Amino acid sequence: MTSADSQSEKPKTPQPIRDAATLILYRRRGAGSDGRFEVLMGERHGASAFMPNRYVFPGGRLDLADYKIRPAATLNPVSTARLARCKGTGPRKALALALTAIRETFEESGLRIAAPGRQTTPPPAGWAAFCAGGLAPDPSRLLYVCRAITPPGRPRRFDARFFAAPAEAATGDLRPSPELDKLSWVTREETESLPLPNITQFVIATLEDWLRPGNADDPACRVPFHYMRHGQRRLDWE
């Protein structure tokens, strides 16, 4: 065996799995329950290391600063209770994940979910622009609806928690960012022609059911959890 052969057969170093959060902003255009149900999505840039040219919801990695920012309100009891069923996710981490989703949505789309709430010290790194004007993140309307771990073999892996919030909870004007382009509100039918990750397809197909009364307001409602085990896709409920 040559040296080159030996090197080619060395197992790749497993990618670390990092905590992350995603926010699905949704709205219904039109009167009553018959209006068009739409979600906010954008296309990841082609140069992105993770899911290039795929349409996704805003989101990203949990940062240490997300533990340090002072929110304007607490995470609602429904989401807190659901996240508590994730191993290693206590109330403090549950709140930080919700704040991650809010921060990433602002960075990637320009939309801000906030309320008046001044910080006792200057905002931590990454939060200064969000808190301009005496505002603070408001996670009270974020509903935890799904969890997914990126399959092995990808250039980056995340343990992503998906939150949903109504569009009226956000303020600001949509704008593209270095992470997301072509931001738009799309229906489920319109997403069928878009390049979507598998988990995003699942979320879009089932989101309206999760938001129905009896599901959205029930802390005991089990949340879908997607992951890989022994090379097989698994779907559990937490």
Side-chain angles (χ1 to χ4, degrees):
M1 180 182 295
T2 67
S3 176
D5 291 334
S6 176
Q7 291 178 359
S8 67
E9 293 185 7
K10 288 182 180 180
K12 295 180 179 180
T13 302
Q15 288 292 322
I17 301 175
R18 297 180 171 89
D19 287 304
T22 295
L23 182 57
I24 310 155
L25 285 173
Y26 63 89
R27 69 185 186 184
R28 193 174 293 280
R29 299 290 299 273
S33 60
D34 294 330
R36 285 165 43 106
F37 185 79
E38 300 175 328
V39 294
L40 178 66
M41 304 191 75
E43 182 185 41
R44 291 189 59 82
H45 290 284
S48 299
F50 186 70
M51 294 187 180
N53 301 122
R54 297 294 186 93
Y55 276 78
V56 298
F57 310 113
R61 188 176 65 182
L62 172 68
D63 287 343
L64 181 61
D66 301 331
Y67 283 99
K68 298 178 178 180
I69 189 71
R70 174 177 287 187
T74 61
L75 183 61
N76 60 77
V78 172
S79 292
T80 300
R82 291 180 179 183
L83 283 160
R85 295 195 292 268
C86 296
K87 185 178 180 181
T89 307
R92 185 166 177 261
K93 185 173 183 179
L95 175 60
L97 286 164
L99 297 176
T100 298
I102 290 175
R103 175 182 53 75
E104 288 285 343
T105 297
F106 175 68
E107 292 175 358
E108 296 184 353
S109 74
L111 298 182
R112 181 161 49 180
I113 301 179
R118 295 187 178 279
Q119 306 296 310
T120 56
T121 58
W127 281 98
F130 186 100
C131 295
L135 296 175
D138 180 3
S140 62
R141 300 184 69 181
L142 269 63
L143 179 67
Y144 174 52
V145 295
C146 186
R147 179 185 177 194
I149 296 180
T150 310
R154 304 295 173 83
R156 293 179 183 173
R157 299 189 68 196
F158 299 100
D159 186 347
R161 282 70 161 193
F162 289 72
F163 296 86
E168 61 264 25
T171 59
D173 297 320
L174 281 178
R175 54 161 175 75
S177 69
E179 290 79 23
L180 284 186
D181 198 5
K182 300 179 183 177
L183 289 159
S184 59
W185 295 93
V186 294
T187 66
R188 177 178 174 181
E189 292 74 22
E190 289 168 340
T191 64
E192 293 175 358
S193 63
L194 299 177
L196 304 179
N198 290 333
I199 183 60
T200 307
Q201 294 175 5
F202 173 85
V203 169
I204 290 173
T206 55
L207 180 60
E208 287 188 86
D209 287 336
W210 301 339
L211 300 176
R212 297 185 193 282
N215 288 337
D217 54 5
D218 183 3
C221 184
R222 295 290 171 174
V223 172
F225 174 29
H226 294 255
Y227 62 100
M228 295 280 287
R229 177 174 290 175
H230 306 307
Q232 300 294 321
R233 294 185 182 275
R234 297 286 301 271
L235 171 59
D236 285 346
W237 299 83
E238 292 185 327

